[in-house]
Amino acid sequence: MTEIRLYNTKTRRKERFQPLDPQNVRMYVCGPTVYDRAHLGNARPVIVFDVLYRLLRHVYGPDHVTYVRNFTDVDDKINATALARKEAGAKGTLEELIAERTEETIRWYHADMDALGTMRPNKEPRATQWIGAMVAMIEDLIAKGHAYAAEGHVLFSVDSYRDYGKLSGRSVDDMIAGARVEVAPYKRNPMDFVLWKPSSDELPGWDSPWGRGRPGWHIECSAMAYELLGETFDIHGGGIDLAFPHHENEIAQSCCAHPEGGFARFWLHNEMLQVEGRKMSKSLGNFFTVRDLLDRGVPGEVIRFVMLSTHYRKPMDWTEKKREEAERTLRSIAQLLGTSPLQRPWYGKGRFPAPDEFLKALADDLNTSLALTLIRKYLKEGDEPKLRSSLELIGFEPQELIERFQSFRLQSSRNEFTSGTSLESWGAFSKAQQERIAEIAARLKLARADAMQTKDFTQVDAMKSALVAAGVEVRMTKDGVDLVPGPDFDPAKLEGV
């Protein structure tokens, strides 16, 4: 069996991974707070832990790995977003608008992450489905002397847990000095954090021994992880920004509630994302969501390839140069796979075993940077069996790469676009205009493929309308997209497509 070695934040060293039970390898990853679209930084842990999930399934078997990633669907940010919609004139009660927003955001999240080639976890619990478990855990912490009620709130007593700060390597004094802590007269220690807080009549709330209220953020993950994975499980993951205070607080309350267990044995954290060497922020004008990129015609496979080009424990810099390089590589891969004699129905998924050197790269603390270097080597050598099996292992479907990236390429020797758009009807136009049509046809095909999955054809309809307004006839079949210039075609109007 392949030996997996992972860097454990808790011990600050790379360790051999040995699951508690090889028949039931268990992993929990902190999921999104569902109040808006996932930005590019949110996508990094999803892709990182998707690769780890695939590796664990490969080594231990698909039926022997349980992956849990939660949805935080009760939160002050969600409430604020719904309140803004209500003040803008949206119909319905605030609670109804909150429910509507969370459902909408979860649909967006699934569609966007699906487009990046990530597998959905085995279980995706919503915080609101586990309120009873949270209340029970809070009651237990109070009974054991680790939490206290004050003015409608329940707070965890940091002083009651001697190992507080070990994950992040900080002392309590350092944390107080460097953290933004809520100053409240009912706190015994400034670092004590909220387990339960009161809710007004219009906000979501649940009955509890401490009055109508809602849970704090940290208790949500502890309760759901315990209920779905037990008091001790194998791996807990998330972005490095969650190490303190979220993961530190999870450990404290979970270990105090279940002192006989150890909570998570391995802690994995991915580093943060930058854009062109700068922190992504709206004020700098370099903030964008995954959907922004997809709508601009950047395929999900390109986003995934760029993300995996940097080791997960190093800061990742998204640049236009990396995007272009990734797209060129994927086009070359699609060209090789699409013209190979192995492109036959009987050469299905999993036909070839993953190369040992490739598997060892992934097993060495998810060295995806080395893994992509090996993929480029197999591409250069024309070694399709190794290329196919390696791509599959890290979440790239060969057939989908062929269909998507050959459609981006102008096949002038055959006088046609592989997306289905014939060049013969565009012969009277300039090369630049032909390439512009090729790009639009490829994006329309991509948007249509996504729409078939999400059942949301808004983007497809908008593109079709814009093309028709420009005098282009749009013909779509199961085999591709055909764009034909009409008698009133106006190239200038393509700028808006």
Side-chain angles (χ1 to χ4, degrees), residues 32 52 56 75 129 133 172-173 227 249 277 298 300 375 405 408 422:
L52 179 55
L56 294 172
D75 183 86
Q129 298 170 338
V172 174
D173 289 341
E227 294 293 332
N249 293 351
V298 180
I375 279 179
F405 288 92
F408 272 68
S422 171

Side-chain angles (χ1 to χ4, degrees), residues 264-308:
R265 296 171 58 245
F266 279 76
W267 285 85
L268 272 66
H269 293 96
N270 64 274
E271 263 290 351
M272 305 302 288
L273 176 136
Q274 298 176 323
V275 175
E276 301 290 350
R278 306 175 74 183
K279 181 180 179 180
M280 187 170 69
S281 70
K282 293 180 180 178
S283 62
L284 294 175
N286 65 350
F287 179 93
F288 44 86
T289 67
V290 173
R291 181 52 52 178
D292 289 335
L293 286 178
L294 295 172
D295 286 348
R296 292 175 196 169
V298 180
E301 293 91 343
V302 169
I303 300 172
R304 185 182 186 93
F305 199 96
V306 174
M307 289 280 191
L308 296 181

Side-chain angles (χ1 to χ4, degrees), residues 106-167:
I106 289 172
R107 287 197 302 273
W108 288 345
Y109 187 82
H110 275 146
D112 293 348
M113 297 307 113
D114 289 351
L116 302 183
T118 63
M119 300 174 67
R120 295 191 188 181
N122 303 98
K123 300 179 181 180
E124 294 182 291
R126 302 187 186 192
T128 53
Q129 298 170 338
W130 297 93
I131 300 296
M134 297 172 203
V135 170
M137 183 175 278
I138 295 170
E139 287 184 301
D140 186 45
L141 287 169
I142 292 174
K144 290 175 177 174
H146 296 292
Y148 57 94
E151 298 184 22
H153 295 73
V154 180
L155 298 109
F156 182 87
S157 176
V158 167
D159 291 335
S160 74
Y161 182 57
R162 60 184 294 179
D163 289 334
Y164 191 80
K166 280 195 172 182
L167 178 70

Side-chain angles (χ1 to χ4, degrees), residues 336-455:
L336 173 65
L337 299 181
T339 58
S340 166
L342 298 187
Q343 181 60 18
R344 300 288 186 270
W346 55 85
Y347 286 102
K349 181 177 173 63
R351 171 78 177 186
F352 307 107
D356 287 342
E357 62 179 348
F358 189 85
L359 189 54
K360 286 178 180 178
L362 290 184
D364 183 15
D365 196 31
L366 299 183
N367 193 343
T368 56
S369 178
L370 175 56
L372 292 189
T373 297
L374 292 171
I375 279 179
R376 292 187 183 94
K377 184 184 82 166
Y378 305 148
L379 172 64
K380 184 177 180 180
E381 295 171 348
D383 192 334
E384 188 182 355
K386 288 183 178 180
L387 183 60
R388 281 181 173 272
S389 58
S390 299
L391 288 166
E392 289 171 353
L393 186 54
I394 58 171
F396 294 97
E397 294 295 334
Q399 187 59 38
E400 292 180 7
L401 292 179
I402 293 168
E403 294 173 0
R404 180 154 299 181
F405 288 92
Q406 280 198 334
S407 70
F408 272 68
R409 186 172 181 274
L410 182 63
Q411 302 282 358
S412 56
S413 62
R414 291 191 296 144
N415 206 33
E416 64 179 9
F417 294 109
T418 53
S419 61
T421 298
S422 171
L423 279 177
E424 293 178 0
S425 58
W426 295 92
F429 298 94
S430 69
K431 181 179 179 181
Q433 289 171 339
Q434 291 181 24
E435 290 178 349
R436 174 66 172 144
I437 285 294
E439 181 225 344
I440 292 171
R443 285 198 291 114
L444 182 55
K445 181 181 178 183
L446 177 61
R448 183 169 180 262
D450 288 343
M452 295 295 288
Q453 296 293 322
T454 64
K455 307 305 179 186

